[in-house]
């Protein structure tokens, strides 16, 4: 990726590739510089904002992460991965009710089977005492992945927790 970027310094794809390489190796400062550069190159692309939000989240800056995730969603309101990351940051900031709704939205906007997201949203609704919502989400998680034999155990564990 470095060689590609050296040959094509104005290539968005090259900058993204090197940013992703830094991100995967947890070199977050370098990754953030490159994702900020991509965001400046293409202000309509939600992906660099999402990655910058993940960096902020992993560095414990949930307020900044929330701001970046919301900016990414303003560009693409159907981005399930961003909703899930936003839900995690909102939960970490202490607002479980909002986080549960966001995780449900993450599950509903994710292409394919989103069983883990339905399960997480169901757990949060269950902890909030919203049992009907939780049961519906557990049913959707199970319907999405009927071959997953661990789901019933996970749901039982959630219902037994204090």
């Amino acid at each position: 990726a470095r060689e590609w970027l050296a040959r094509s310094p104005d290539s968005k794809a090259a900058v993204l590739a090197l940013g992703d390489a830094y991100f995967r190796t947890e070199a977050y400062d370098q990754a953030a510089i490159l994702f900020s550069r991509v965001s400046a190159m293409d202000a309509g692309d939600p992906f660099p904002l999402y990655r910058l939000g993940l960096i902020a989240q992993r560095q414990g800056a949930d307020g900044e992460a929330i701001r970046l995730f919301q900016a990414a969603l303003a560009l693409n309101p159907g981005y399930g991965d961003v909703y899930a990351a936003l839900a995690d940051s909102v939960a970490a900031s202490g607002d479980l009710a909002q986080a549960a709704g966001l995780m449900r939205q993450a599950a509903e906007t994710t292409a394919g089977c989103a069983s883990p997201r339905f399960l997480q949203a169901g757990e949060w609704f269950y902890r909030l005492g919203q049992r009907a919502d939780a049961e519906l989400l557990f049913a959707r998680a199970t319907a999405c992945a009927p071959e997953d034999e661990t789901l019933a155990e996970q749901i039982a564990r959630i219902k037994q927790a204090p």
Side-chain angles (χ1 to χ4, degrees), residues 62 84 97 121 147 155:
D62 284 309
E147 70 288 344
I155 292 168

Side-chain angles (χ1 to χ4, degrees), residues 7-64:
R7 286 190 314 272
S8 307
D10 295 327
S11 167
K12 176 183 167 185
V15 177
L16 272 174
L18 186 55
D20 277 338
Y22 281 131
F23 182 83
R24 284 190 308 276
T25 61
E26 299 180 9
Y28 295 134
D29 291 341
Q30 294 93 333
I33 290 167
L34 293 168
F35 290 129
S36 294
R37 185 171 158 194
V38 171
S39 190
M41 293 168 100
D42 183 356
D45 185 351
F47 183 76
L49 295 171
Y50 167 59
R51 283 290 209 207
L52 288 165
L54 289 176
I55 291 167
Q57 185 181 64
R58 291 176 183 179
Q59 293 177 332
D62 284 309
E64 178 66 4

Side-chain angles (χ1 to χ4, degrees), residues 97-119:
Q98 183 183 7
L102 289 165
M103 190 58 77
R104 179 190 343 220
Q105 204 158 2
E108 291 171 350
T109 56
T110 298
C113 181
S115 181
R117 292 179 178 170
F118 282 121
L119 185 65

